Amino acid sequence: MAASSFTASTIPHPYPFATTTKSSHLLPLSCSFPRNPTPLPSFRLRASSTTVSASAVSTKIEDSRVSGTPSKALPFRVGHGFDLHRLEPGYPLIIGGINIPHDRGCEAHSDGDVLLHCVVDAILGALGLPDIGQIFPDSDPKWKGCASSVFIQESVRLMHEAGYEIGNLDATLILQRPKLSPHKDTFKANLSALLGVDPSVVNIKAKTHEKVDSLGENRSIAAHTVVLLMRK
């Protein structure tokens, strides 16, 4: 049986190394090293002289209009949107552009429409663009009380500018009460009209939160949306 150690003449390099699965450090194999090994090259790291100004890494949206052209043209793009708002007395409950009768509504800078907000974020995300809070910041007074249909129109403009159209869209509303099932067809029709698509590519689901946390205690409302964009 061969010996477990090797001499320098039996190995092509005087420093054989192996890695372990527990660490990325190099560990020497059992071997015999030459008396005067060839020194390993040394490297010195220098800090890069490249500087990046703050303006180069910050996103500044002028009059909320940004370019919708993504960095790479793909045949399909998928985006996910999420939104959540606190429910408080004295506010209207606007969902999908529809005013739903309830004793409380969304506390928000705009009209607080969670469905339209998460649809906008899904489209922007699919295009690789900043989210709705960056393009329409709540620090800007011009968006105070604004109808969320304005945000939908802008996201659709950016989508078409990038050369895409909606393949299909699936949204889930989460609200303990009131029950939203009776309004799903209205949500679907209104959202389809805002997006300029056939209702067959839009799906709306509504769920409670089984009385768990703020959603289940009717202190908040949330929505998720997944959208598929296709090249025109």
Side-chain angles (χ1 to χ4, degrees):
M1 182 174 181
S4 59
S5 62
F6 301 89
T7 63
S9 61
T10 62
I11 324 176
H13 191 281
Y15 292 104
F17 290 98
T19 59
T20 69
T21 57
K22 294 184 178 179
S23 171
S24 60
H25 295 296
L26 296 175
L27 301 177
L29 293 170
S30 175
C31 62
S32 299
F33 292 104
R35 291 178 178 274
N36 298 308
T38 303
L40 292 175
S42 61
F43 300 92
R44 296 182 62 185
L45 299 178
R46 295 185 303 171
S48 172
S49 60
T50 304
T51 59
V52 181
S53 65
S55 60
V57 296
S58 62
T59 302
K60 183 177 181 181
I61 307 297
E62 297 292 344
D63 71 5
S64 80
R65 298 179 70 83
V66 299
S67 173
T69 304
S71 58
K72 184 176 182 180
L74 300 172
F76 302 101
R77 282 180 171 266
V78 176
H80 172 261
F82 170 77
D83 195 36
L84 180 146
H85 284 296
R86 186 167 56 245
L87 294 175
E88 296 288 351
Y91 291 89
L93 181 58
I94 309 295
I95 303 175
I98 309 300
N99 194 334
I100 305 299
H102 193 40
D103 61 354
R104 60 188 64 195
C106 294
E107 182 181 12
H109 187 69
S110 62
D111 63 4
D113 192 325
V114 292
L115 177 57
L116 298 192
H117 288 183
C118 73
V119 169
V120 169
D121 255 353
I123 294 174
L124 295 177
L127 294 172
L129 296 177
D131 61 36
I132 187 173
Q134 292 176 271
I135 298 181
F136 307 103
D138 58 11
S139 58
D140 193 331
K142 71 181 176 182
W143 306 125
K144 179 68 175 177
C146 177
S148 296
S149 58
V150 173
F151 309 150
I152 287 283
Q153 292 166 2
E154 176 67 358
S155 65
V156 169
R157 180 190 73 82
L158 293 170
M159 176 182 67
H160 291 318
E161 180 182 278
Y164 289 90
E165 61 185 0
I166 290 178
N168 74 296
L169 181 149
D170 184 43
T172 301
L173 291 161
I174 307 172
L175 181 66
Q176 193 64 33
R177 61 180 190 274
K179 294 293 185 182
L180 297 179
S181 295
H183 306 287
K184 288 196 299 182
D185 289 342
T186 306
F187 296 153
K188 180 175 181 176
N190 197 48
L191 180 57
S192 300
L194 289 172
L195 294 171
V197 299
D198 190 276
S200 64
V201 305
V202 174
N203 187 49
I204 306 291
K205 305 187 299 294
K207 298 180 178 296
T208 68
H209 214 246
E210 299 297 333
K211 300 182 180 180
V212 176
D213 64 35
S214 66
L215 288 166
E217 295 170 358
N218 204 41
R219 294 186 288 112
S220 62
I221 179 175
H224 291 267
T225 295
V226 175
V227 65
L228 171 68
L229 303 186
M230 303 187 304
R231 292 290 294 178
K232 293 182 179 180

